[in-house]
Amino acid sequence: MAKNNNKATKAEVQSYELNKLPVPGEFETEFSAEEAAEVFEQNEAASRSSHNEE
């Protein structure tokens, strides 16, 4: 009986994008208060500098 070679190998299946395990923290949406304050300060500084140029 002939062997069926139409099936994907284990390595091929594991390399498919949908079969990969998620990377911890990759889609993390939480952030610290320090990070929020830093972004806020950067936005405030940018806003002040754009108003001074007008």
Side-chain angles (χ1 to χ4, degrees):
M1 183 176 227
K3 186 175 181 182
N4 187 353
N5 290 330
N6 293 333
K7 294 182 181 179
T9 64
K10 183 177 179 180
E12 290 172 330
V13 170
Q14 289 177 342
S15 68
Y16 296 156
E17 190 64 34
L18 295 174
N19 288 335
K20 291 183 180 177
L21 292 174
V23 176
E26 182 179 8
F27 297 108
E28 188 174 307
T29 57
E30 295 180 20
F31 53 91
S32 69
E34 291 83 12
E35 290 174 310
E38 184 178 314
V39 171
F40 181 76
E41 290 171 3
Q42 290 172 354
N43 287 341
E44 285 292 310
S47 178
R48 277 188 240 119
S49 68
S50 69
H51 288 305
N52 291 338
E53 293 174 2
E54 292 175 357

